[in-house]
Amino acid sequence: MTISIHDDPPILICADLQTEYLTEGRSHVISDAEAITSRCLELMTVWRSNLWPVMHLKRIAQAAWFNPASNLTDWIAELKPRPGELAFEHPLPSAYSSSRFAEYMANMRDIRCVLCGFSLDETILSTVVDGFHRSHRYQVVSDAVACRRPGVGEAASYKLAVVKVIGNYARVQASTDLIGASGKIAV
């Protein structure tokens, strides 16, 4: 399906695009972060230029060791929310752990969401599964998502396994299939 002028465009949900995933030496650092950041920016540019809805998720840990003064949870500068874009902070992996997000999504009818960003194996996976059980439709852009570096095994095979699991609950599509050469989006 290609979005026409009469269709409601899907919401682009950008998950956990925070500096902690780019900071070397952190266990959450993502090895292909530059490529993923570039694709997320490309998707955001398409959404913003068409004046389509963009939503941002930000994971805020609630553990005793969490330092609220740290700048590690700050947005990546070029990917931070703009005025008029929704932003939700969530304490647990699923975005639905934010009561504001859960209420917003519960009040939307026939909504379609396209997910991109970091924390594929936590935020994106748990949000998609949670949303599936609430009858919300999600689509994950496979080349615009990333997992933190796993402790063992190869990162690419780990990401592939997580994407395969997500495929049971959401549509998985590459950005080139999502956005055609004409700039139209296929959902």
Side-chain angles (χ1 to χ4, degrees):
M1 170 182 180
T2 302
I3 295 290
S4 75
I5 197 161
H6 305 290
D7 294 326
D8 287 333
I11 293 175
L12 178 65
I13 300 179
C14 306
D16 299 342
L17 295 173
Q18 297 165 240
T19 58
E20 75 173 308
Y21 295 100
L22 305 179
T23 305
E24 282 300 320
R26 306 259 315 148
S27 63
H28 285 71
V29 74
I30 296 173
S31 55
D32 57 346
E34 189 174 312
I36 301 305
T37 300
S38 175
R39 284 194 195 90
C40 288
L41 184 57
E42 179 184 353
L43 290 169
M44 289 173 91
T45 301
V46 169
W47 255 257
R48 288 170 171 166
S49 66
N50 286 297
L51 302 176
W52 294 341
V54 177
M55 183 185 297
H56 303 266
L57 303 177
K58 185 177 188 182
R59 177 92 187 265
I60 303 294
Q62 297 289 329
W65 50 264
F66 179 70
N67 179 2
S70 170
N71 65 353
L72 291 175
T73 61
D74 289 349
W75 303 105
I76 298 169
E78 60 271 15
L79 300 172
K80 69 181 180 182
R82 290 186 178 170
E85 295 177 348
L86 295 171
F88 297 96
E89 294 180 350
H90 56 104
L92 301 173
S94 174
Y96 290 93
S97 67
S98 162
S99 58
R100 286 183 54 239
F101 179 83
E103 183 177 340
Y104 178 83
M105 294 300 285
N107 288 306
M108 300 302 289
R109 298 288 178 244
D110 201 32
I111 190 172
R112 294 169 293 141
C113 301
V114 174
L115 271 161
C116 67
F118 298 147
S119 196
L120 175 68
D121 53 343
E122 292 178 3
T123 297
I124 294 174
L125 174 62
S126 59
T127 299
V128 165
V129 171
D130 213 353
F132 175 83
H133 292 291
R134 296 168 191 244
S135 299
H136 297 153
R137 294 182 296 164
Y138 283 94
Q139 180 174 351
V140 174
V141 185
S142 61
D143 58 339
V145 292
C147 300
R148 61 191 168 120
R149 189 180 311 160
V152 291
E154 187 179 319
S157 60
Y158 178 68
K159 177 180 174 179
L160 185 62
V162 174
V163 168
K164 187 174 180 178
V165 170
I166 287 173
N168 293 312
Y169 301 95
R171 185 173 176 192
V172 177
Q173 193 171 18
S175 61
T176 53
D177 296 330
L178 178 66
I179 303 170
S182 65
K184 291 189 177 181
I185 183 166
V187 220

